[in-house]
Amino acid sequence: EELEFLVSHGVPAEVVPGVTSALGASASCQVPLTHRTFGVNQVRFVVGQSQAKALPDMDWAQLAHDAGKQTTVFYMGFKSVGSICKRLRDNGAPEETPMAMIESATTSNERAFYGTLASMPAVAKKHEAEISGPVLILLGPTAAFPAHLEKLSAGRPWKRTRTGSCDAC
């Protein structure tokens, strides 16, 4: 969409291959997109809202059915997180399905919020006023992976502390 906008306005542009924000966020927050032990064997990338600012037209029943065996990454879904969660629950996704919201992934301002399909709307509402960067939403068992690593570590440090700004790299 960004490239279409630039071209239609006569702005020369070049697409530089890189890592999609979902892969960067996943790696940065230690949330694997697939994991055999967690039974997650696929990943799906979707938008969280249409251009009309409504939930997109997609197979919500299938997303709900697969919630326990795939990671679904929602782009542009922060303002719709309550509607996304409701639609998935209405289509049979278990309320305890783990979720993560990652703001400003891979930057020095990165923040991650964790919850479930039932709790994430309240988490989003609680932090709504302070969210200023782009947000990705991850749905599925691997969204609970950081808590799993915390448990495995038995209190020992397991996540390397970042030094300096990611933006300086």
Side-chain angles (χ1 to χ4, degrees), residues 3-40:
L3 185 58
E4 289 175 321
F5 179 85
L6 293 172
V7 169
S8 70
H9 286 82
V11 178
E14 176 184 2
V15 175
V16 178
V19 175
T20 180
S21 58
L23 298 177
S26 167
S28 183
C29 292
Q30 285 81 40
V31 177
L33 295 175
T34 61
H35 194 290
R36 292 176 292 181
T37 304
F38 277 60
V40 178

Side-chain angles (χ1 to χ4, degrees), residues 32-83:
L33 295 175
T34 61
H35 194 290
R36 292 176 292 181
T37 304
F38 277 60
V40 178
N41 56 20
Q42 58 186 328
V43 61
R44 188 176 294 179
F45 302 100
V46 300
V47 294
Q49 68 178 11
S50 67
Q51 285 183 328
K53 308 288 187 218
L55 288 181
D57 180 22
M58 61 180 143
D59 190 344
W60 289 94
Q62 189 65 50
L63 281 179
H65 178 266
D66 291 343
K69 61 184 176 187
Q70 77 178 7
T71 300
T72 303
V73 180
F74 292 89
Y75 289 88
M76 301 174 283
F78 178 70
K79 292 181 180 176
S80 302
V81 70
S83 298

Side-chain angles (χ1 to χ4, degrees), residues 29-30 38 114 142-153 158:
C29 292
Q30 285 81 40
F38 277 60
Y114 300 94
T142 60
F145 198 71
H148 171 69
L149 292 177
E150 193 66 42
K151 189 176 177 182
L152 285 176
S153 75
W158 60 270

Side-chain angles (χ1 to χ4, degrees), residues 21 24-26 28-29 102-107 109-111 134 136 162:
S21 58
S26 167
S28 183
C29 292
I102 304 165
E103 177 192 15
S104 300
T106 73
T107 72
N109 296 323
E110 175 183 281
R111 295 188 305 162
L136 286 172
R162 290 184 176 164

Side-chain angles (χ1 to χ4, degrees), residues 59-62 64-65 86-93:
D59 190 344
W60 289 94
Q62 189 65 50
H65 178 266
K86 182 179 183 333
R87 181 70 59 92
L88 289 165
R89 288 192 319 268
D90 288 350
N91 279 279

Side-chain angles (χ1 to χ4, degrees), residues 111-153:
R111 295 188 305 162
F113 305 94
Y114 300 94
T116 64
L117 200 54
S119 68
M120 193 54 78
V123 172
K125 187 77 169 161
K126 177 181 177 183
H127 297 283
E128 183 177 36
E130 62 196 61
I131 297 287
S132 61
V135 175
L136 286 172
I137 301 167
L138 283 70
L139 168 77
T142 60
F145 198 71
H148 171 69
L149 292 177
E150 193 66 42
K151 189 176 177 182
L152 285 176
S153 75

